[in-house]
Amino acid sequence: MIPHFTLYSRSYCHLCQDMLDALNALRTPELPFTVDVIDVDADPALVARFDELVPVLFADLAQPELCHYFLDEARVRAVLAG
């Protein structure tokens, strides 16, 4: 099964774009993954939950976040390693 990430983000947020770019830089043919980027401003419930915390990255929405503001490469690599 290919790992999947969810990134809660904002369209005008440079930290959000930086995290997405850093995450995508980890993708290789040997370590594939998918990522959904969710705009928190499209849903009032997401704004209430995340607001100024974005960007926030999850590997499993039932588990705590992997990181926010900046990519935690070690945690992401641990998910990718299985």
Side-chain angles (χ1 to χ4, degrees):
M1 178 178 214
I2 295 176
H4 178 77
F5 297 97
T6 303
L7 176 63
Y8 290 95
S9 172
R10 286 198 157 94
S11 61
Y12 59 86
C13 169
H14 72 90
L15 288 178
C16 300
Q17 187 61 52
D18 290 348
M19 184 179 286
L20 180 60
D21 292 345
L23 179 61
N24 282 327
L26 298 178
R27 185 183 285 125
T28 68
E30 298 79 26
L31 292 174
F33 60 84
T34 59
V35 60
D36 284 330
V37 179
I38 309 295
D39 185 348
V40 297
D41 293 322
D43 182 341
L46 293 177
V47 171
R49 181 174 176 189
F50 297 115
D51 197 23
E52 297 300 318
L53 195 62
V54 297
V56 182
L57 184 67
F58 287 85
D60 180 345
L61 295 177
Q63 298 294 319
E65 69 188 52
L66 290 176
C67 52
H68 63 269
Y69 301 138
F70 303 99
L71 187 74
D72 185 334
E73 186 174 330
R75 291 190 76 188
V76 171
R77 286 191 181 277
V79 169
L80 294 174

